[in-house]
Structure formats: structure tokens, C-alpha cells
Amino acid sequence: MSNNKVALVTGGARGIGRAICCSLANDGFKIAINYNNSEKEALALKNELSAITEVEAFRCDVSDSVAVKGMFSEITQKLGRVNVLVNNAGVAEQALFTDITDEMWQRMINTNLSGAFYCSREALKGMINEKNGVIINIASMWGEVGASMEVHYSSAKAGLIGMTKALAKEVGLSGIRVNAVSPGVILTDMMNSFSESDKEALKEETPLNTLGTPEDIADAVSFLVSDKAKFITGQVLSVNGGFVI
Ligand code: NDP
């Protein structure tokens, strides 16, 4: 049953973003799937979800503020105002701190942090006018506690957590909630650079003795978007099997 509200999920064609699109579609939202490179996957998902809701796919590199503006006007034309924004698009990379180049640092910050800033700024224009809206930022446990060999990633995700808290304070009076979901190790393409034995070791380090699925994150997002979370803002919901407590 449609609730006639529009949810935009950045990086929605694959991995965690794809599961979030499916979950919010089942919750009755119209879905705007943002993708950058994964056009085939985005169109396949659009096709799949069109059986249950209104859905469109929008190509945009979220690290490009001009392109983000363009995407929002396209979404408004095709689906309506964005009521729910999930800033999920992200890149990860492992490198020794002293090997991180200016380009690597900028790509990391521009995609994971500035992308969320650009999208939130556009979404908030409509949300503040209407005095309602929900923003969810997909952070990472490494943004909470820091990861060796991932200092640029940890910095971007820690920044996203800071943005979540500060923005929640600023826009609460406008009826807008802002929260973060902070995943632990989730089995997606992002983990492809890890060997099977690395993954086994990460599993053993996890108190619940399992790695997470994209659906574990999508369930948390659905909850935080819903009215069941209407008194929750500025929080970081850690979904990590107990890896970081
Ligand atoms: P994937 O590598 O599977 O997917 C990354 C997604 O981000 C893709 O949909 C990709 O889109 C999108 N993306 C990357 N750069 C851009 C860009 N410039 N503009 C638009 N979209 C972009 O990763 P996950 O699904 O695992 O990760 C999703 C989020 O969850 C990320 O923010 C990640 O940091 C976070 N996370 C993941 C964890 C994990 O263990 N997997 C752990 C903690 C956090 P496209 O393919 O179209 O280019």
C-alpha cells in the first residue's frame, strides 16, 4: 500500500543500498534509486520494484554538487518531493596512512561525506518547507572507533556521524529527524578485497559469530524511517553483531 512519500537512496543499485530500496518499497514508499556506474543493476531493480511501487532510477555522482542539484529537480518532476533521504553511497579503500595521496583522500571525503552534505542540503529545502522529513546516514563502525589502514575512510565516516548529530539539533524544530545507521562487517562487494580467511577471522571476532547481511542494515533503516522511531533523532544505531560495543 503506497504512502505516497518519496524515498531517495543514494548508491541504491547494489549491496546495502539495494536492500534499503527493497525494504522501503515494501514499506510503501515511492523509490528514487540513485546510481553512478551500476546502470544495469539500477534498471533491473527498477523493473523488479515497479511491481510494488512507483520507482525511477537517476544517474548522478553524489560527489558533484551541480549534478546533485540536477538529480533533485529530476526526482521532483518524476516522483515528487523527497521525504526520506538515505545517504548510503560510499567507497572504501585500505592503505597505509603515509601512502594516502591527495587524490585518494579527496575521493574518500568527497564521496562519503560531501556527497551526503550535497544531498542533505537539497533534500532539506523541501523538508523544511513542509516541516517533515527523515534523513538516514549510513556510517560505519570504523567511523565510531577508527580502523588502522583506513584512516581516510574512518575520517569520512566520523564526519558523517558528526554531521548527523549537529544537523539533528538544527532541524529538529522543523519536524525533521536525522539519524545514522552504523554497520559492522556486511557481506557486499565492498568486502571483495578481503580473503576468505580474513572474513572468517572477522566473523570470529563478532560476538554473534556471523557477518551481517544488507537486509540487517535495511531493517534498521526501515525502523528509523518509520513512526516507531518518531522520538529518535541525532542517534547512531550500530548494527554490527556486537563487534563494537
Ligand atoms: P558497495 O561497494 O557494494 O556499493 C557501494 C555503492 O555506493 C554502490 O551502489 C555505488 O554506486 C555507490 N557509490 C559509490 N560512489 C558513488 C558516487 N560517487 N555517486 C553515487 N553512488 C556512488 O558497498 P556497500 O553496499 O557495502 O556499502 C554501502 C554503504 O555502507 C557505504 O556507505 C559503506 O561505506 C557502508 N558500509 C559498508 C560496510 C560493509 O561491510 N559492506 C560496513 C560499514 C559501512 P555505483 O555502483 O552505481 O557506482
Side-chain angles (χ1 to χ4, degrees), residues 10-17 34-38 60-63 88-91 111-112 138-141 153 157 183-191:
T10 67
R14 304 194 279 124
I16 291 172
N34 158 257
Y35 66 96
N36 188 26
N37 294 312
S38 300
C60 168
D61 174 350
V62 296
S63 68
N88 164 79
V91 286
T111 307
N112 292 337
I138 306 300
S140 163
M141 64 179 172
Y153 182 75
K157 294 297 189 180
V185 184
I186 309 296
L187 286 169
T188 67
D189 294 344
M190 197 170 266
M191 293 300 296

Side-chain angles (χ1 to χ4, degrees), residues 17 26 37 43 55 64-65 73 84 88 96 121-122 138 147 156 165 167 171 174 179 207 244:
N26 280 312
N37 294 312
L43 296 180
V55 51
D64 175 344
S65 73
S73 59
V84 171
N88 164 79
L96 277 175
R121 190 172 56 181
E122 289 309 308
I138 306 300
K165 294 178 181 181
L167 187 58
V171 298
S174 299
N179 288 293
V244 164

Side-chain angles (χ1 to χ4, degrees), residues 19-40:
I20 295 170
C21 286
C22 295
S23 183
L24 293 179
N26 280 312
D27 294 341
F29 288 91
K30 296 194 233 175
I31 303 294
I33 306 165
N34 158 257
Y35 66 96
N36 188 26
N37 294 312
S38 300
E39 180 164 40
K40 202 168 86 187

Side-chain angles (χ1 to χ4, degrees), residues 164-201:
T164 303
K165 294 178 181 181
L167 187 58
K169 288 184 179 176
E170 185 166 320
V171 298
L173 268 182
S174 299
I176 298 157
R177 296 186 297 106
V178 186
N179 288 293
V181 171
S182 183
V185 184
I186 309 296
L187 286 169
T188 67
D189 294 344
M190 197 170 266
M191 293 300 296
N192 284 351
S193 62
F194 289 72
S195 67
E196 284 312 310
S197 67
D198 286 344
K199 286 189 222 170
E200 190 55 35

